[in-house]
Amino acid sequence: MKTSTLAIIGAAIGACAAQALEAPFPPVGDNPYLDLIAWHDSGLHAAIRAWYYGWPAVAVVLAASVALSVWRVWFQPLVRIVRRGRLPKWPTSPGDDVPSLVVGELHHPTVPRESERPSWLVIPEKGLYTGLLVVGAVGTGKTTACMYPFARQLLHWRADDPRRRAGALVLEVKGDFCHQVRSILEDAGRADDYLEIGLGGSLQWNPLDDPLLDSYSLAYGVASLINQLFGKSREPFWQQAYTNLVRWIIELHRLLPGGWVTLRDVYRCTVDSDLLRDRIREAQKLADEICPVRAVISDEDLARHPEALSKWTWTRMPRTGKVACKLDPKLGNRLKKLKVRYAAETPGGAGEEFAEKVEAVARWYVKDWSALDAKLRTSIVEGISVFLSLFDQPEVAGVFCPPPPTPAESQTEPAEEDGGTGQSVPGLRRRLPPLSELIEGGKVLALNMPAGANPALARAIGVLLKNAWMQALLRRPAEAARRPERHMRPAVFICDEYQAFATVGQDDPSGDEKAFALTRQCRCIPIVATQSLSSLRSVLPSGEAWRTLVQTLRTRIFLSLSDESSARIASEMCGSVMKTEPSYTFSETTGRPEFSLLSGRAGGGRGTMGASKSFRRSLQPVFTPREFALLANYQAICLPYDGVKSLPARRVYLKPHYLPRTKGYWRLRKEGRI
C-alpha cells in the first residue's frame, strides 16, 4: 500500500478519535429530538450516532482525495519533468578500500530512452583485473569519455597513500595523452610520480638491461618483435635464425668486462664480421687470463726431453706423478713435434665456467655461423639489421642505448618504496630505474613517442617497453611469497590506439593474450582502446589470433562503429534473445466482377476481405549491427564483467572528462553540450 493511502487512513482514524474524545454523542435526556427518534426508530438513531462519530473521517478522506488528485493531475508532472533523469550520488571515492571504476550512466538497458531513476555502471576490483577493451570509431569519444576518466579514477585512488596508490604504464601515439596524464597526477598531488621517456627526453632506458633474463629470452623477444613488425610469415626458420644470432651476441657482450650490451652493440656486431671476431678474441684472451688452460704431462716425458721443454715453467702435481704448465700455442706445437701426449685441463672454480661460456660462443661462431652459406648469412643479417639499424642513429642511441653505468651508479641502490630517482649520467639524461622498482614504488611511466615522426620506431619501442613491463609484473607473485608483508599495489596498463602496440604469440610463449591472462594474479589492470576490431585484425597475424587476444579482455565497451565487420562481431558478442514477433495476413475474395459504365474500370462487385494476426517466437540479437552504427557520441553498448560472472549487454552513457558528473547525459544533450 502506498504511503499516501496510509497517511489518509491514519488521518481519518485520528479525526474519529478526536471527535469521540472532545465531543461525545449526547446521552439520553440531553436532546429531546434524539430521544424522540430513538423512541420511534432505534435503527435511525444508531445511524445518526455512527455518522456523528464518522463524519470527521469522511471529511478528511474527501479533502485528502481532492488534494491528492489535484497534485497528481496538475503538479506532479511538473515536478517529474524537473527531477527526471537526476543522477544518484557518485558511487566511488578515492578513499575506498579497493579500486573500482565507474563506466557511465545506466538508463533503459536496450532502448535509447531516459530513465526516471538512472543508476551507475560500476566495475568492481575483481572485474578490473580481467581487463577492459574500448572500441570506437574516430571521433566517437573513446579517449575523452573513456581513457581520460578511467585514468583519472584509477590514478586518484589512494593518491595520498604512498604504499597503496597505483602505478601505471601509459602508451600512446598521438602525443597529447601523456600531457593529460601529467595533469591528472598533478591534480592528485602525485606530480613526482610521473616519468616520461621519449626522444629528446631526460631519461635513458636500455631494453636489454635485465639481469634476471637470460640471453636467450632477450633474443627471443627481439626476434619475435622483428617477425611481427616486418613479416608475418609462418616459416619458423627466420625467427630461429634471428634468435640464435642475437642470443650469442648478447651472451658474448655479457662475458666482456662490464657485461653491458645494447641494441646498437648487437647491430654493429651483426653487420661487421670483423668486429664480432675481435670481440670473441677479446673474450678468449680474458678467459685465458682468468682460467688458463694447463698442459699436463708425466714426469717421465719431462725427464726424457729436459732441454726441449726447459723454456717453460713446470709445476709438479703432488701424488700424481705429473707436471703441469700453462698451455700456449708454442708449447702445444713443441709437444706435438716431440710426440708427447698431454692433457689440457683447467684449474676449476668460477673461472672454469667463464671459460666454458667463452668456448661455447667461439664454437657457435666457428662451427655454426661461419659454416653457413654466405648468401644465407647475408639474408639473416639483412632481415635483422632493418630493425636494429634504428638504434644506430645518434638521437635514438642516446636514449635507448645508453653507456654502461659507472661504478658509483652500480653501487647506488634506489629507494625501495619510492621507486628510486635514477642516477645522473654524462649529459643531461638520467638512467631509468628498473621497471620492477617503478611498479612497486607507484610510479607512472609514460612513453611519449608520437607515431607521426617515426612510426616504426614508436611501435618497436612501445612493444619492447610493454613486454619488459609485463615481464616485471610476472615476477610479483614470487616476490610476494618471499616478502608477504609488502602490499601488492595495483598496476594499470593504459594504451590508447592499442592497434599500434598489439602483439600475439599464437603458439609462441610471448604475446599480449598470454600476458593479460597471467597478470591477473599480479593485480594488473589492462585498459586498451582501439578504433575497431578490424584494425586489430589487420596488424595481427592471420587466423583467429585477434579472438584469442580479445577474449582475455572481459569487459568490452563498444562506441559507434563505422565498419560492418566490427559491428557484426560486436552484435554476436552481445548475444541473442527470444523475441515474439507479430505477423499479419490479409485475404480478399470477390464474386462476380462488375464494370463501371462511365469509366470502364472494374469495381463495384460484391466481395469479402479478411485479416488475421499471428505471433511467433524467434532468436534475434539483443543489439543489431545497425544499432552499433547509429550510436551517438558518448553512447556505448557495454558487455560488463564483475570478476565473477558476465552481465547482460546494455546501453551505457559515458561521462566526458570535461563535463560535470552531476548532470545526466540527456540533460547535457538537451543543453547542447554533447
Side-chain angles (χ1 to χ4, degrees), residues 208-269:
L208 301 182
D209 182 21
D210 192 345
L212 298 179
L213 281 182
D214 62 295
S215 58
Y216 181 82
S217 299
L218 292 173
Y220 190 88
V222 174
S224 299
L225 178 59
I226 295 173
N227 191 43
Q228 295 196 23
L229 289 180
F230 301 100
K232 301 179 176 63
S233 173
R234 298 295 298 168
E235 175 58 46
F237 170 78
W238 297 109
Q239 182 169 345
Q240 294 172 357
Y242 300 157
T243 302
N244 199 35
L245 176 59
V246 176
R247 178 256 178 114
W248 287 111
I249 294 178
I250 293 176
E251 187 69 27
L252 172 62
H253 282 80
R254 284 185 167 183
L255 295 173
L256 294 175
W260 187 256
V261 57
T262 64
L263 290 173
R264 181 168 61 176
D265 297 327
V266 176
Y267 167 71
R268 292 183 176 180
C269 286

Side-chain angles (χ1 to χ4, degrees), residues 109-365:
T110 57
V111 179
R113 185 176 64 205
E114 185 179 13
S115 172
E116 293 187 6
R117 295 182 178 180
S119 57
W120 298 103
L121 176 59
V122 181
I123 305 299
E125 180 188 21
K126 290 184 178 180
L128 292 178
Y129 297 140
T130 58
L132 285 83
L133 172 65
V134 181
V135 184
V138 177
T140 56
K142 62 179 180 294
T143 301
T144 58
C146 290
M147 303 306 288
Y148 288 166
F150 295 173
R152 178 175 294 274
Q153 294 180 54
L154 294 175
L155 296 181
H156 276 231
W157 178 77
R158 291 285 183 176
D160 56 347
D161 188 352
R163 297 181 60 86
R164 300 190 63 185
R165 59 195 182 196
L169 173 65
V170 180
L171 301 180
E172 56 116 3
V173 297
K174 299 177 182 177
D176 58 342
F177 192 72
C178 293
H179 300 292
Q180 188 68 27
V181 171
R182 183 195 291 268
S183 301
I184 291 173
L185 292 175
E186 290 176 353
D187 295 341
R190 299 182 55 186
D192 295 338
D193 288 342
Y194 182 78
L195 297 173
E196 183 176 297
I197 187 171
L199 295 181
S202 60
L203 289 175
Q204 292 179 315
W205 175 62
N206 181 11
L208 301 182
D209 182 21
D210 192 345
L212 298 179
L213 281 182
D214 62 295
S215 58
Y216 181 82
S217 299
L218 292 173
Y220 190 88
V222 174
S224 299
L225 178 59
I226 295 173
N227 191 43
Q228 295 196 23
L229 289 180
F230 301 100
K232 301 179 176 63
S233 173
R234 298 295 298 168
E235 175 58 46
F237 170 78
W238 297 109
Q239 182 169 345
Q240 294 172 357
Y242 300 157
T243 302
N244 199 35
L245 176 59
V246 176
R247 178 256 178 114
W248 287 111
I249 294 178
I250 293 176
E251 187 69 27
L252 172 62
H253 282 80
R254 284 185 167 183
L255 295 173
L256 294 175
W260 187 256
V261 57
T262 64
L263 290 173
R264 181 168 61 176
D265 297 327
V266 176
Y267 167 71
R268 292 183 176 180
C269 286
T270 299
V271 298
D272 190 347
S273 58
D274 294 335
L275 178 61
L276 178 59
R277 190 183 308 110
D278 293 342
R279 293 289 171 85
I280 294 176
R281 290 174 179 174
E282 182 182 351
Q284 289 175 331
K285 182 178 179 181
L286 183 62
D288 290 339
E289 295 176 357
I290 296 177
C291 183
V293 179
R294 300 183 303 176
V296 180
I297 63 176
S298 63
D299 290 337
E300 292 80 3
D301 291 334
L302 180 60
R304 192 178 304 116
H305 308 284
E307 296 181 0
L309 301 177
S310 61
K311 295 182 180 180
W312 291 271
T313 303
W314 296 89
T315 304
R316 188 170 301 280
M317 302 176 66
R319 296 185 300 275
T320 60
K322 295 181 179 181
V323 293
C325 179
K326 181 180 178 181
L327 181 62
D328 54 33
K330 292 183 179 180
L331 177 59
N333 294 333
R334 179 62 59 85
L335 293 175
K336 288 181 180 179
K337 289 181 180 180
L338 298 175
K339 297 182 180 181
V340 175
R341 301 181 62 181
Y342 68 94
E345 296 182 357
T346 56
E352 182 178 3
E353 181 180 355
F354 179 84
E356 290 177 354
K357 290 182 178 180
V358 174
E359 184 181 356
V361 175
R363 187 183 305 112
W364 161 79
Y365 180 77

Side-chain angles (χ1 to χ4, degrees), residues 4 8 61-80:
S4 58
I8 294 174
V61 171
L62 291 177
S65 299
V66 172
L68 187 60
S69 299
V70 171
W71 163 258
R72 289 179 175 176
V73 173
W74 297 99
F75 297 104
Q76 190 176 21
L78 300 178
V79 176
R80 184 179 300 171

